[in-house]
Amino acid sequence: MPPGFWTATVPRMKGLTKMEAGKDIYILAIESSCDETAASVVKNGREVLSNVISTQIALHTLYGGVVPEIASRKHIEKINQVIDAALREAGQELRRMDAIAVTYGPGLVGALLVGVSAAKAISFATGIPLIGVHHIEGHISANYIEHPELEPPYICLVVSGGHSHLAVVKDYGAYEIIGQTRDDAAGEAFDKVARAIGLGYPGGPKIDRVSREGNPDAIFFPRAKLADNAYDFSFSGLKSAVLNYLNGCRMKGEEICQADVAASFQKAVVEVLVDHSMHAVKEYGYDCFAIAGGVASNSCLRAAMSEACSRNHIRFYHPSPVYCTDNAAMIGTAGYYEYIKGVRSGLDLNAVPNLKLGTRGF
Ligand code: KG4
Ligand code: ZN
């Protein structure tokens, strides 16, 4: 067990102590790993009583991407207001909370530290137990919020600005990573290509929107296949192909159709994600599949996954867009399943910017 964690030695009566059995569990959750300051109150793991998100997108748009130092400062300004708003909107008092769940990695270190410090301060002052949550585990758990019937095991594709993972969700908090990106994450590729074609930050939603006006078959961009692991991803070659295409057009004095480039690039990413995912689901023999992370809100990806899943008789789950991008409700849900297992963090919990999948439960 890494420093900062301890597991309470409670009897595991279906995950709950006798005292707790039958009583509602309220989690106050905090998320500040990148450019959203977020807090939420989640009841019994799947009922979101409040989901407050203060986004910094407008601020970072000025610089074409997230500026870590600015992100940290903004989190400090907002964190207390966001936590207060989450409790108020939930109609709950702090002392009613059974635990404080907080993202402690991966993410920007300065940004993570704001949420972790706030959560530790509240825990220290009130005695409410603290639970450090892995950000990616939060993204996966977002699927539980609106789908009460969804239970492990299933396969989940996590595609965000920093991560592209194919994971077997064996149980709550128990994952096997079967594929991941070798270079750029899917969201990172969206953001870089958006910048190159002049759409600016944040790239994903803009490419999604502009692509609706474009022809996805206008330009063929390569789909990377990795010989040693069919489930791994690589998006840097695709990004370079788009940049080469743009340079080629400029050198020849040809006009660039932004919508066609966006749609053709998006089609290439979506095809790879769908192809790898369906291959994994069939190979591992699951009939249930979910997507998570910011890129999971992409309309083309959702439509293509939905179509592929119904063709293969696989149940398909995806969170609403607000639960795909960073939010604290997903951290509350993941924190709940840690809580009922008896996992607690110590007050020496620290931000771990490069927290690896495989650490505690992964
Ligand atoms: O999960 P998230 O909010 O933050 C991380 O944990 O990284 O994901 C942010 C990423 C960004 O790269 C953003 O461009 C991408 O998700 N994204 C999208 C869409 N909405 C957000 N990518 C494609 N299509 C979208 N509609
Ligand atoms: Zn995220």
Side-chain angles (χ1 to χ4, degrees):
M1 190 145 302
F5 276 94
W6 56 277
T7 303
T9 48
V10 287
R12 292 186 56 177
M13 209 192 77
K14 285 203 178 134
L16 296 174
T17 62
K18 275 184 192 161
M19 241 175 57
E20 289 165 338
K23 106 177 183 12
D24 291 329
I25 309 275
Y26 292 86
I27 308 275
L28 170 65
I30 299 170
E31 154 67 40
S32 69
S33 65
C34 191
D35 58 348
E36 328 277 3
T37 320
S40 167
V41 175
V42 177
K43 182 179 169 187
N44 298 329
R46 297 193 183 218
E47 193 183 333
V48 177
L49 301 186
S50 62
N51 186 32
V52 178
I53 304 169
S54 168
T55 182
Q56 306 175 1
I57 284 179
L59 196 59
H60 298 290
T61 299
L62 298 171
Y63 305 93
V66 178
V67 183
E69 183 61 24
I70 293 177
S72 315
R73 285 166 192 242
K74 260 296 171 238
H75 284 311
I76 292 172
E77 277 176 33
K78 295 283 176 187
I79 191 94
N80 288 339
Q81 299 165 35
V82 166
I83 293 170
D84 283 348
L87 287 165
R88 200 170 49 246
E89 281 183 24
Q92 297 294 325
E93 287 183 24
L94 182 56
R95 61 188 164 81
R96 179 68 191 84
M97 298 299 114
D98 295 281
I100 323 258
V102 62
T103 306
Y104 76 107
L108 301 169
V109 67
L112 287 164
L113 274 170
V114 177
V116 169
S117 305
K120 289 202 301 192
I122 296 171
S123 175
F124 180 67
T126 58
I128 298 170
L130 178 70
I131 301 168
V133 172
H134 195 297
H135 184 72
I136 301 301
E137 186 167 4
H139 274 303
I140 294 171
S141 303
N143 277 290
Y144 300 131
I145 296 170
E146 296 157 295
H147 305 295
E149 73 285 12
L150 176 62
E151 303 241 22
Y154 58 94
I155 290 194
C156 187
L157 171 75
V158 189
V159 269
S160 70
H163 308 272
S164 302
H165 290 293
L166 253 179
V168 179
V169 183
K170 296 181 160 181
D171 199 348
Y172 296 107
Y175 308 88
E176 184 191 350
I177 306 303
I178 56 172
Q180 53 193 303
T181 184
R182 300 274 180 95
D183 37 58
D184 292 351
E188 199 177 346
F190 269 95
D191 292 337
K192 286 177 177 169
V193 166
R195 196 175 312 145
I197 60 175
L199 286 173
Y201 172 85
K206 290 186 174 169
I207 288 194
D208 195 349
R209 203 163 45 246
V210 165
S211 292
R212 288 176 202 149
E213 318 293 322
N215 172 10
D217 299 312
I219 312 144
F220 181 81
F221 291 125
R223 284 80 165 137
K225 278 210 187 317
L226 299 160
D228 52 337
N229 184 356
Y231 306 126
D232 274 355
F233 305 100
S234 168
F235 294 111
S236 70
L238 170 59
K239 175 195 67 191
S240 301
V242 175
L243 296 179
N244 288 342
Y245 171 82
L246 296 173
N247 281 338
C249 288
R250 281 179 197 125
M251 279 160 63
K252 287 184 265 176
E254 288 173 8
E255 204 180 312
I256 294 162
C257 175
Q258 204 183 40
D260 283 353
V261 179
S264 303
F265 159 77
Q266 181 173 267
K267 182 176 179 181
V269 175
V270 166
E271 261 184 32
V272 169
L273 296 176
V274 172
D275 189 65
H276 283 40
S277 302
M278 291 304 106
H279 185 55
V281 174
K282 283 188 224 160
E283 197 90 338
Y284 280 78
Y286 288 95
D287 65 352
C288 185
F289 173 73
I291 55 174
V295 181
S297 59
N298 182 270
S299 57
C300 177
L301 178 67
R302 289 158 90 95
M305 282 294 190
S306 170
E307 194 276 321
C309 284
S310 75
R311 197 166 5 97
N312 290 292
H313 310 290
I314 295 159
R315 282 177 294 137
F316 173 53
Y317 293 94
H318 54 78
S320 290
V322 70
Y323 296 126
C324 287
T325 44
D326 289 347
N327 66 90
M330 67 184 196
I331 302 302
T333 298
Y336 168 82
Y337 288 102
E338 295 296 311
Y339 178 82
I340 61 171
K341 275 191 288 182
V343 173
R344 308 286 184 268
S345 303
L347 287 173
D348 58 345
L349 180 74
N350 205 352
V352 185
N354 58 351
L355 186 64
K356 291 279 172 291
L357 300 176
T359 315
R360 190 172 63 101
F362 277 91

